[in-house]
Amino acid sequence: MIVADKKPIEEIIDEIKEHERILILGCNECVTVCEAGGKKEVGVLASALRMYFLNEGKEVKVDEKTLERQCDHEYLEEIRSMIDQYDAVVSLACGVGVQFTAEKYHSMPVYPGVNTCFMVVTEERGLWTERCQGCGECILARTGAICPVSRCAKRVLNGPCGGSTDGKCEINKEIDCAWQLIVDRLKALDRLDDYEKISPLKDWSTDRAGGPRKVIREDVQQ
Amino acid sequence: MRLAYPTSIKIIRVPCTGKVDVLYFLRALEKGADGAYAVGCMEGDCHFNSGNLRARKRVEQVQKILDTIGIGGERVQMYNLSSSEGPLFAQYAVEMDERIRKLGPNPIKKHKKKAA
Ligand code: SF4
């Protein structure tokens, strides 16, 4: 999933202080799981903003709505009939949702309510760690299903580098060396021979190096 | 024990302070309460292990939010006692009542009245 972190309320207030009718728009997917932009966080932010504006002596309408997703047309359509009641939207979805909301409602200012981070697993409640950078050409088959692109600081494809010490990465002793993990895992799979195989140069054009990306699937297109 | 405590306090019963959410406090304040506090079991004595520890963290979150928006985090507190400590319950009620009286009414109320 995608993890996002809450933005400080001060920052959000600063973004929206000129507006008088504000919709706080949450998303039921990743940002709900990471407790940054689901229905509850929408409620907390909206309540805090209503109190803030009242305390400032300003009459500002702050409403709440949470959609199933903000990255699909059909769910975003659900607010079409109500959007005219507002002069700004604060989206608590990831950056994808913020942008898609803005694309759909072109003349409506849309502000981000969270900082979108990266693709993660939930290791435990309140701890999310990166596993994938969406490089567009998955090499996990060769690396014992441990990704050196997202988990090695240098994205080394034939590692480890000279900085790997006691299983930890040279950039930070708290971080496991991805290549140590890969070797350990290949050993457990009895596939250490694979480690001897030199990875060819990776085609980075499918990563961000090729500019904004798209996936076209004609087989599922209508 | 028939202990007296301030009449300003309205008790809302929950199965465990772990049930008390950030939103409960905010809604209470938004509706015009001058303050709100949670009374949980002693730390380490939670029947559900960590309900009261979660409540404390949530109270701290609410305090931070209220400080940020200028309402004052002190209006929200967390207390712990064991179920046999009736006098302490009354004492905390008095303490909270005094704290809130010192802080004065919830500042959003005067603007709410104006808006109405
Ligand atoms: S120590 Fe390991 S994880 Fe860190 S940069 Fe070198 S190979 Fe990558």
Side-chain angles (χ1 to χ4, degrees), chain A residues 148 151-165 167-172 175-181:
Chain A
R151 300 183 67 183
C152 165
K154 297 175 192 161
R155 293 177 146 194
V156 171
L157 295 184
N158 293 289
C161 72
S164 178
T165 310
K168 299 293 173 189
C169 174
E170 68 173 338
I171 65 148
N172 185 335
I175 298 175
D176 289 326
C177 167
W179 274 98
Q180 181 72 53
L181 297 177

